[in-house]
Amino acid sequence: MSLWEQINQPVTYAIPFFVLAMVLEIAALRGHEDDRTGYEKVDARNSLVMGGVSVFISGAAKFAALIAFAALYVHAPWRLDPRNPWSWVAVMLGVDMLWYLYHRVSHRVRLVWAAHQVHHNSRYFNYATALRQKWNPWFELLIWTPLPLLGVPPWMVFTAWSFNLIYQFLVHTEAVGKLPRWYEFVFNTPSHHRVHHASDPEYLDRNYGGILILWDRLFGTFRAETFRPTYGLTTNIDSTNVLTLQYYQFGALWRDLRSTRRVRDWLGYTFGPPGWQPTLPDTPPSARGDEQPLTPGPAEVANE
């Protein structure tokens, strides 16, 4: 097996399935009365361009990560046997739990959100949106480092993650309503993920799970879908330029960092949640507006 096959094989084989799913979804949603349901030509084109470019960028990043993971794997105290089906069950659970943790951090730490927000800045929710991927996969790759240290072969990590991604593709649709109650309780579903992509205050920062929604139920971040979400960011980006959509939030972060010389503010802007604002010194709490950012703007952009 070549290095490229080790890091991309399942997703590569799934590409024809992705295309077929989009064609069927377009047919299913054609003629819907709501103008935010279905596909919009420019938005879908941008999502597909981002997805296509990300295949090569993430492939190069995974190649580097594979080498680093191999170095960690050498020092593992034991080795998982990939021929044992229970090893795959354990790795799939480990990958999914670590994805939940990373995904939650990516919504609550602005530096990581700056990379992740591109997946949320479409105002549409469909299978093309699932392919709207970031060109900065570094934070995501770091989250897998415990697995090779625990004896998981690096290629096994990426194979499990590929299957996780394929499953997550399926939950990006409005063409599927709610599934049977037992399934909705255990697994991530289109209904749960619609909540995750919403900009409505009631839905913000909810439903981070990849395959399992049990992590959200366990850690208190679950929210059921009770009304149709409004998709996009709380402050949408007024551009259809792919580079702007990818890097806008990094520019906003840089401008905020340049606006102050206080280390505390730099740390807050970088590692605080999206929308974090410094309090003015020597200002009584009643005049600071602690409940709201002092100056709304790009830094206020919140999560899907």
Side-chain angles (χ1 to χ4, degrees):
M1 182 184 295
S2 69
L3 287 175
W4 180 258
E5 289 176 323
Q6 288 185 48
I7 59 180
N8 279 302
Q9 191 177 37
V11 170
T12 301
Y13 289 156
I15 289 175
F17 167 75
F18 293 163
V19 174
L20 176 61
M22 284 188 284
V23 171
L24 293 175
E25 184 183 42
I26 290 171
L29 296 175
R30 181 175 295 171
H32 197 282
E33 294 180 359
D34 194 298
D35 63 355
R36 287 289 170 191
T37 298
Y39 286 71
E40 192 276 327
K41 185 182 297 184
V42 175
D43 181 83
R45 180 203 66 196
N46 283 343
S47 293
L48 294 177
V49 168
M50 293 181 204
V53 174
S54 75
V55 169
F56 296 97
I57 293 177
S58 63
K62 287 177 181 177
F63 179 83
L66 187 66
I67 297 173
F69 288 176
L72 297 175
Y73 178 67
V74 169
H75 300 286
W78 57 78
R79 308 287 173 84
L80 261 67
D81 181 5
R83 295 168 297 182
N84 186 335
W86 289 109
S87 295
W88 282 99
V89 172
V91 172
M92 290 295 293
L93 285 172
V95 163
D96 202 53
M97 184 186 70
L98 289 173
W99 165 255
Y100 170 86
L101 295 175
Y102 158 76
H103 201 183
R104 188 167 179 177
V105 167
S106 72
H107 280 251
R108 303 307 301 155
V109 175
R110 188 181 176 192
L111 178 62
V112 191
W113 168 248
H116 182 67
Q117 61 80 32
V118 66
H119 183 61
H120 289 274
N121 61 31
S122 172
R123 298 175 68 187
Y124 294 81
F125 186 76
N126 49 49
Y127 287 138
T129 305
L131 304 178
R132 196 182 189 96
Q133 296 296 318
K134 59 186 174 295
W135 297 347
N136 305 274
W138 324 111
F139 302 113
E140 182 179 299
L141 290 171
L142 287 173
I143 199 65
W144 312 127
T145 53
L147 296 176
L149 284 171
L150 291 174
V152 181
W155 68 267
M156 199 175 178
V157 175
F158 289 121
T159 300
W161 171 230
S162 293
F163 284 123
N164 196 294
L165 282 178
I166 292 169
Y167 183 90
Q168 288 192 51
F169 173 87
L170 295 170
V171 300
H172 288 81
T173 183
E174 289 192 281
V176 177
K178 293 202 173 185
L179 298 175
R181 183 177 298 179
W182 69 267
Y183 196 92
E184 294 272 343
F185 186 83
V186 176
F187 294 100
N188 192 15
T189 65
S191 175
H192 298 329
H193 207 59
R194 287 193 288 267
V195 168
H196 179 68
H197 272 256
S199 60
D200 308 280
E202 298 92 333
Y203 286 160
L204 282 180
D205 300 326
R206 299 290 179 174
N207 299 0
Y208 297 114
I211 293 178
L212 298 177
I213 203 66
L214 289 175
W215 310 119
D216 290 281
R217 295 185 187 277
L218 180 62
F219 297 114
T221 53
F222 175 75
R223 175 66 156 82
E225 182 184 34
T226 53
F227 59 90
R228 184 170 182 259
T230 303
Y231 303 111
L233 307 174
T234 58
T235 303
N236 287 298
I237 301 172
D238 187 21
S239 176
T240 58
N241 183 283
V242 172
L243 291 176
T244 300
L245 294 170
Q246 281 283 339
Y247 298 114
Y248 174 87
Q249 196 41 231
F250 283 107
L253 173 58
W254 176 244
R255 288 191 294 273
D256 282 336
L257 292 175
R258 292 182 61 188
S259 70
T260 181
R261 295 185 178 181
R262 296 197 302 174
V263 174
R264 178 185 180 278
D265 293 349
W266 292 341
L267 294 174
Y269 279 131
T270 304
F271 300 108
W276 182 92
Q277 291 287 320
T279 54
L280 298 177
D282 303 322
T283 304
S286 60
R288 289 203 307 254
D290 287 343
E291 299 81 27
Q292 300 291 335
L294 289 174
T295 54
E300 190 185 357
V301 174
N303 306 346
E304 31 175 25

